[in-house]
Amino acid sequence: LQDGTPVTSAEQWISQRRPEVLELFQEHVFGHRPETVPQLRTRERSCTQDALGGKAVRRELTVFFSDDDAGPSMDILVYTPVAAETPVPCFLGFNFHGNHTVDPNPAIHVTSSWVRNDAKTGTVDHQATEQSRGKSSSRWPVDMIVSRGYGLATIYYGDVDPDFDDGFKNGIHAMLESDTSVRAGNAGGSISAWAWALSRALDVLEVDPLVDGSRVSTFGHSRLGKTSLWAGATDERFAMVISNDSGCGGAALSRRRFGETVKRINTSFPHWFCINHRRYNDNEDALPVDHHMLLALIAPRPVYVASAVDDQWADPRGEMLSLYHAGPVFELLGRSGLPNDDVATVDQPIQTDVGYHIRTGKHDVTDFDWTQYLN
Ligand code: GCU
């Protein structure tokens, strides 16, 4: 505990230490999530029963965050197996380029939100085009997911908060923050905004007749993996949490200063974390938390951390050690963490009540990754 008392029981973790750790992440890393929970309105934008050659129901649900149709909204693209007789467990994750890039099917609406064409800065504003249909489909093996009996719900992250540093004026910030000109050091950045929207998507999935809202897993790659972890840490309704190559500010330990560092990430992406996080630029040892504690916030729910060999920027070893050191909290809550901190063998997943793998290849999402998540 913050007063120095060691935590020895599940009860102490749940009622005392977990809230302390959550507060530390809100104050020093991600900032507080918006507190407002607006009255959502959901409109079915499209529905087909014969997606994927008759295997899946595919729907586009527009979720309005206010009573104004012209105000902020997000489109959730949902696939569920046609064969399912009961509501299915479902993966929920943001995509980077628009729902129309997940699947080449021409019936899916091309996003009209801001899209980026520069992965690093995201400063270029332009319109998504027909040509980008399906361009991210290798990262979204919808057929495999549905064939295994699961649902998939995905949202374009640009619907919620465009990914560039604009002083928190666009996206949902303007709607949720009364005065965006004065920014508190602990006000949430874009990752908090995206995580908040995953919770709103869960609000919708919880009452969806085709999805089992008590078995929704967050999923995300890279910056959206950081978002997946933060959503799972802050919203205990998520049943499972997946981090695909989330790296610095996600699963990786900041104190290792390996690959991307706190200073690098706060400099390249000043809008992702809270302003207080900048105090730890070149000063990681002063951080009152490290990211194994982020993973511990998810316990006892399963968390899966995946790395890739050619993704040293995300510090695969630091991602694994982080999961290993979250182990004591899993144990305290009656679950098993990683058995040891031995360097993991490439392409050999380790699965207990948590999961880890490091696969061959680059910073990406592959069928190998999804196969392990489905397992
Ligand atoms: C950059 C950034 C990472 C991030 C990644 C991504 O590489 O430095 O922190 O995870 O972009 O989101 O693709």
Side-chain angles (χ1 to χ4, degrees), residues 110-138:
V110 172
T111 184
S112 52
S113 298
W114 160 93
V115 293
R116 62 181 188 154
N117 60 5
D118 179 321
K120 287 278 178 266
T121 65
T123 47
V124 185
D125 231 340
H126 74 116
Q127 204 59 43
T129 57
E130 289 289 323
Q131 284 67 50
S132 54
R133 285 191 179 284
K135 77 166 182 181
S136 302
S137 54
S138 68

Side-chain angles (χ1 to χ4, degrees), residues 36 38 64-66 71-73 168-178 180 196:
T36 316
F64 297 95
F65 294 123
S66 71
S73 66
F168 301 98
K169 290 186 184 55
N170 60 17
I172 58 157
H173 291 283
M175 185 190 89
L176 296 172
E177 293 171 25
S178 45
T180 52
W196 175 89

Side-chain angles (χ1 to χ4, degrees), residues 173-201:
H173 291 283
M175 185 190 89
L176 296 172
E177 293 171 25
S178 45
D179 184 358
T180 52
S181 61
V182 277
R183 201 158 179 80
N186 64 2
S190 294
I191 292 176
S192 270
W194 295 321
W196 175 89
L198 287 181
S199 290
R200 302 294 70 82

Side-chain angles (χ1 to χ4, degrees), residues 96 120 222-223 226 246 248 260 265 269 272 313 363:
F96 277 90
K120 287 278 178 266
S222 209
R223 68 198 67 183
K226 311 182 209 296
S246 63
C248 180
E260 190 171 28
I265 205 165
F269 307 99
W272 284 358
W313 185 238
H363 186 68

Side-chain angles (χ1 to χ4, degrees), residues 13-85:
W13 167 258
I14 294 165
S15 67
Q16 291 179 265
R17 186 55 176 156
R18 187 180 185 281
E20 282 181 2
V21 172
L22 186 59
E23 181 61 14
L24 292 170
F25 274 100
Q26 285 174 331
E27 283 294 314
H28 302 274
V29 183
F30 298 103
H32 289 260
R33 288 170 35 142
E35 274 165 22
T36 316
V37 179
Q39 188 71 43
L40 304 174
R41 291 181 301 126
T42 305
R43 190 176 299 157
E44 194 173 84
R45 196 174 185 192
S46 73
C47 176
T48 171
Q49 303 282 335
D50 63 2
L52 309 176
K55 245 186 247 175
V57 183
R58 188 189 66 234
R59 291 173 295 159
E60 290 171 286
L61 307 175
T62 304
V63 179
F64 297 95
F65 294 123
S66 71
D67 54 14
D68 178 6
D69 274 17
S73 66
M74 62 181 178
D75 272 11
I76 317 181
L77 175 65
V78 192
Y79 295 83
T80 45
V82 163
E85 282 163 10

